[in-house]
Amino acid sequence: RDMRDGQLSDGQFPNVAPFCWVEHGSAAWADAGVILPWNVYSMYGDKEIIRENYDAMERYMKWISTRTDGSYKYVGSDDRYGDWVAFENTDRKYVSVCYYGYMADLMSRMSAVLSTSEGDEYDVKAQEYATLFENIKSEFARRYISRGKLRQSSQCSHLLALKFNLLPDEKTAEASREALRTRIVNNGNRLATGFLGTSVINQTLSENGMVDLAYTLLLQHDCPSWLYSVDQGATTIWERWNSYIAETGTFGDVSMNSFNHYAYGSIGQWLYRTVLGIQTGENTDEAGYHKIFLTPSWGGTLTYAKGEQETPFGKIASSWEKKENSIVYHCTIPANTTAHLSLPSSCHSSVQI
């Protein structure tokens, strides 16, 4: 509702809600007006969050459709921030295009959720937004792909293309995976991402067969990394990877150096969804953890993981522990739900239940 209250007459969502500063219409920031309803629906299974915001989201998408850049038709929202405070540069226009594709895909999925019959208003909208996504994807390929490879080279650029399904075929996707792994390894097994790349880095690595590398980043102590901040004395998530350096006792630029910031806390989602493996489906009979997908992944030097998540149906618990010659897994799901359990088996010749 705060996003709607701060929306301008031309459709732009605010970059901060409740609106108080830093303007409107920036990629990823203002795009939250479209992303958040989908995330809330996925977590709670309540279609009303989509229905309540649908008109506002359409107004925002209409505003974006008026933006062009020379011969390019699909440019996305304002490119003010990009991959904010990253350790390497990613073209901000590229980031905006990626998020435009992501939002078109989400609008198609949300329209499908609201549809009750084939050919109704929302079914038609779902098809229109699916077509928009494909058009953005096609122009993305013409603009950013050459000879089967992404022209952009940063970690963030590969992450967004893979996460948002913007690459045209498996061959190009595999080239991007290889380039991403090489980019991280050659950086000393460290990330170089800012707010946006970090929000999806471990998820995307895991979804693309690189759980080992995701664990390496989680357990990395050199800057930039989560444990680097811990080693500097952090008890909260910082705005910058190096907001404070204990060895020298120096602080980052005090004009923008929050010691209690949201962005890099996104690693928590990966810990729950991938390490513990607690996930929900997105179909109307699955969302809100009505159907649970348990897909734990172990790796690195972690010997055990244990956690719980409250859902509209009750508590889900998931834990695993490495023993001498086995891994023991336990889970609990609430009443009136079903769960699909998928265990990694490459390391063991048998699974006993």
Side-chain angles (χ1 to χ4, degrees):
R1 183 171 182 176
D2 285 334
M3 293 295 286
R4 298 200 309 269
D5 287 346
Q7 191 172 24
L8 298 181
S9 59
D10 64 2
Q12 294 184 65
F13 280 125
N15 291 341
V16 172
F19 176 68
C20 54
W21 65 315
V22 297
E23 307 304 329
H24 290 70
S26 295
W29 273 251
D31 295 351
V34 173
I35 298 169
L36 286 176
W38 173 256
N39 287 343
V40 174
Y41 160 74
S42 297
M43 293 298 98
Y44 293 94
D46 187 353
K47 301 179 185 180
E48 289 308 305
I49 186 71
I50 298 175
R51 198 184 312 277
E52 289 173 4
N53 289 280
Y54 196 86
D55 288 345
M57 292 189 292
E58 284 226 288
R59 288 171 54 210
Y60 185 62
M61 295 298 286
K62 185 175 181 180
W63 169 73
I64 296 175
S65 72
T66 66
R67 293 173 47 79
T68 59
D69 181 11
S71 62
Y72 296 116
K73 184 177 180 181
Y74 306 105
V75 302
S77 315
D78 176 88
D79 60 2
R80 182 178 290 113
Y81 298 114
D83 192 27
W84 191 245
V85 297
F87 271 49
E88 66 177 0
N89 181 62
T90 301
D91 179 14
R92 288 182 295 178
K93 290 184 178 181
Y94 174 91
V95 171
S96 296
V97 173
C98 289
Y99 268 85
Y100 191 16
Y102 180 43
M103 287 189 294
D105 184 39
L106 290 185
M107 288 298 295
S108 179
R109 285 190 261 173
M110 285 189 281
S111 299
V113 167
L114 294 181
S115 175
T116 57
S117 62
E118 185 177 350
D120 69 10
E121 175 187 2
Y122 291 113
D123 181 54
V124 172
K125 289 288 187 181
Q127 298 305 315
E128 290 175 351
Y129 281 114
T131 299
L132 174 61
F133 173 71
E134 291 300 328
N135 290 341
I136 294 170
K137 189 172 178 178
S138 294
E139 186 170 275
F140 176 91
R142 294 194 300 273
R143 188 173 185 177
Y144 294 115
I145 295 174
S146 176
R147 298 181 180 179
K149 294 183 179 180
L150 200 60
R151 290 197 185 104
Q152 303 291 310
S153 61
S154 70
Q155 291 179 17
C156 180
S157 63
H158 291 290
L159 289 165
L160 296 184
L162 288 165
K163 182 63 178 177
F164 298 159
N165 190 29
L166 291 168
L167 300 174
D169 51 50
E170 177 56 26
K171 183 178 180 181
T172 309
E174 184 56 31
S176 192
R177 293 184 195 107
E178 292 177 3
L180 175 60
R181 177 180 281 278
T182 299
R183 190 87 179 177
I184 293 172
V185 171
N186 288 349
N187 193 44
N189 285 316
R190 295 174 300 168
L191 49 74
T193 48
F195 284 12
L196 304 185
T198 302
S199 72
V200 298
I201 190 166
N202 273 29
Q203 298 173 42
T204 307
L205 289 172
S206 299
E207 291 165 359
N208 286 273
M210 293 181 275
V211 175
D212 62 319
L213 196 51
Y215 266 99
T216 297
L217 294 181
L218 173 72
L219 300 171
Q220 174 66 260
H221 284 265
D222 293 336
C223 185
S225 69
W226 290 278
L227 292 182
Y228 175 81
S229 301
V230 173
D231 291 341
Q232 307 313 300
T235 57
T236 55
I237 297 293
W238 296 348
E239 182 173 14
R240 297 178 182 270
W241 292 115
N242 55 353
S243 287
Y244 174 72
I245 302 173
E247 184 178 0
T248 59
T250 56
F251 292 85
D253 181 358
V254 295
S255 67
M256 197 195 75
N257 195 38
S258 170
F259 281 83
N260 192 10
H261 216 67
Y262 72 98
Y264 300 140
S266 57
I267 189 63
Q269 183 188 66
W270 180 78
L271 292 171
Y272 275 86
R273 290 188 179 182
T274 302
V275 177
L276 295 178
I278 301 174
Q279 301 193 49
T280 183
E282 64 179 56
N283 295 328
T284 54
D285 60 342
E286 298 174 343
Y289 298 94
H290 190 266
K291 183 172 183 180
I292 301 157
F293 294 85
L294 296 170
T295 58
S297 296
W298 33 81
T301 57
L302 286 189
T303 57
Y304 77 95
K306 180 179 181 180
E308 300 173 342
Q309 181 168 334
E310 292 288 348
T311 77
F313 291 92
K315 185 182 297 181
I316 302 171
S318 176
S319 66
W320 54 263
E321 183 176 5
K322 293 180 180 178
K323 301 291 188 179
E324 184 175 352
N325 295 309
S326 64
I327 296 176
V328 179
Y329 176 73
H330 293 278
C331 62
T332 303
I333 65 172
N336 301 315
T337 64
T338 59
H340 178 91
L341 174 62
S342 177
L343 296 174
S345 59
S346 59
C347 298
H348 302 279
S349 58
S350 63
V351 175
Q352 185 175 2
I353 298 177

